[in-house]
Amino acid sequence: MSIRTILFDLDGTLIDTNELIIASFIHTFNAYHLEYSREEIIEFNGPPLVDTFTKIDARRADSMVETYREHNLKEHDNYVKPFPHVVDTVKKLQENGIEMAIVTTKMRKGVNKGLSLTGLDNYFETVITIDDVTHPKPHAEPVLKAMEALQADPKRTLMVGDNYHDIEAGKNAGVQTAGVAWTFKGKQRLLEYKPTYMLDDIRDLLQITGV
């Protein structure tokens, strides 16, 4: 059965926030007198911030999250841009009747800022953020919530993301999955989680959906 619904992660999938994320981690670690290499910081990219900072320092995790988010929002527009061909591709998908949603572990304020800045704010019928769920990805809840809002058929739904928790969330929700080769952690790492598809270019979705 052909794909009629696509659920997208946002950061690292549709919009390039990689350097913003690294800068925000560095800013936070400097504020708390912690040292991590760029390679170590890349590994922190993906899971909810509170999980990452709790593993680093449970006692100060909440304040570290606040420091990170303050810097991230302040510097957002200096870094963020859509990945190549993303805007044209989602526009064509929408014009051909593909239903689309965002499923992210970010807070809604940051999500709205990113979508508006990159010109992607008119293409998604629903946006599920970490504010909307009890259990974020890799739990199935965010994916299931997006599908419920769209009345989507799991057999015709695709979850697209740049991190393992996107692939796992899709699998846990019983939908097809697609990794993106431009993931910050490298294509081979993502292939280990056996997504249904690996996108070398966002335009591969046009072929997958037959539009």
Side-chain angles (χ1 to χ4, degrees):
M1 297 179 73
S2 61
I3 297 296
R4 300 308 298 166
T5 302
I6 304 179
L7 312 178
F8 290 97
D9 175 54
L10 185 60
D11 287 15
T13 300
L14 296 179
I15 64 176
D16 187 351
T17 53
N18 292 335
E19 294 304 322
L20 173 64
I21 288 168
I22 287 179
S24 298
F25 272 118
I26 290 173
H27 171 81
T28 304
F29 292 144
N30 286 342
Y32 290 88
H33 308 291
L34 298 168
E35 288 190 20
Y36 287 92
S37 69
R38 181 181 175 88
E39 290 69 29
E40 289 172 317
I41 289 172
I42 289 173
E43 292 301 314
F44 296 143
N45 182 16
L49 286 172
V50 67
D51 293 354
T52 295
F53 286 124
T54 296
K55 290 178 181 178
I56 292 170
D57 186 339
R59 183 175 59 85
R60 298 190 292 178
D62 288 344
S63 59
M64 292 172 81
V65 169
E66 187 175 337
T67 300
Y68 176 102
R69 285 182 173 148
E70 182 180 336
H71 178 273
N72 194 273
L73 288 171
K74 179 182 176 183
E75 296 295 328
H76 181 278
D77 291 3
N78 294 325
Y79 287 90
V80 176
K81 59 188 177 183
F83 281 110
H85 311 298
V86 161
V87 177
D88 290 343
T89 298
V90 297
K91 182 174 186 287
K92 188 165 185 179
L93 289 167
Q94 185 189 63
E95 289 172 348
N96 284 273
I98 303 297
E99 293 187 304
M100 295 178 289
I102 297 293
V103 179
T104 174
T105 56
K106 287 185 72 173
M107 293 179 69
R108 186 166 293 276
K109 184 176 182 181
V111 172
N112 290 344
K113 197 174 179 70
L115 291 174
S116 176
L117 179 69
T118 56
L120 289 167
D121 46 348
N122 294 318
Y123 296 107
F124 303 98
E125 295 176 58
T126 193
V127 176
I128 304 298
T129 73
I130 198 166
D131 302 318
D132 303 312
V133 298
T134 303
H135 307 290
K137 297 178 294 188
H139 195 282
E141 182 186 350
V143 176
L144 294 173
K145 194 158 190 173
M147 286 198 298
E148 182 181 3
L150 298 174
Q151 296 184 316
D153 179 352
K155 295 178 181 178
R156 306 186 75 180
T157 299
L158 181 69
M159 176 70 214
V160 181
D162 69 309
N163 241 298
Y164 79 91
H165 67 286
D166 300 309
I167 307 305
E168 293 295 294
K171 288 183 176 182
N172 289 336
V175 305
Q176 295 183 59
T177 59
V180 299
W182 52 95
T183 171
F184 213 19
K185 295 178 183 177
K187 176 180 177 179
Q188 289 306 124
R189 176 83 70 87
L190 206 51
L191 281 170
E192 293 174 10
Y193 295 91
K194 296 180 171 55
T196 314
Y197 303 95
M198 176 57 71
L199 309 180
D200 290 308
D201 185 303
I202 193 70
R203 292 172 294 184
D204 293 344
L205 288 172
L206 304 177
Q207 183 175 359
I208 291 170
T209 56
V211 306

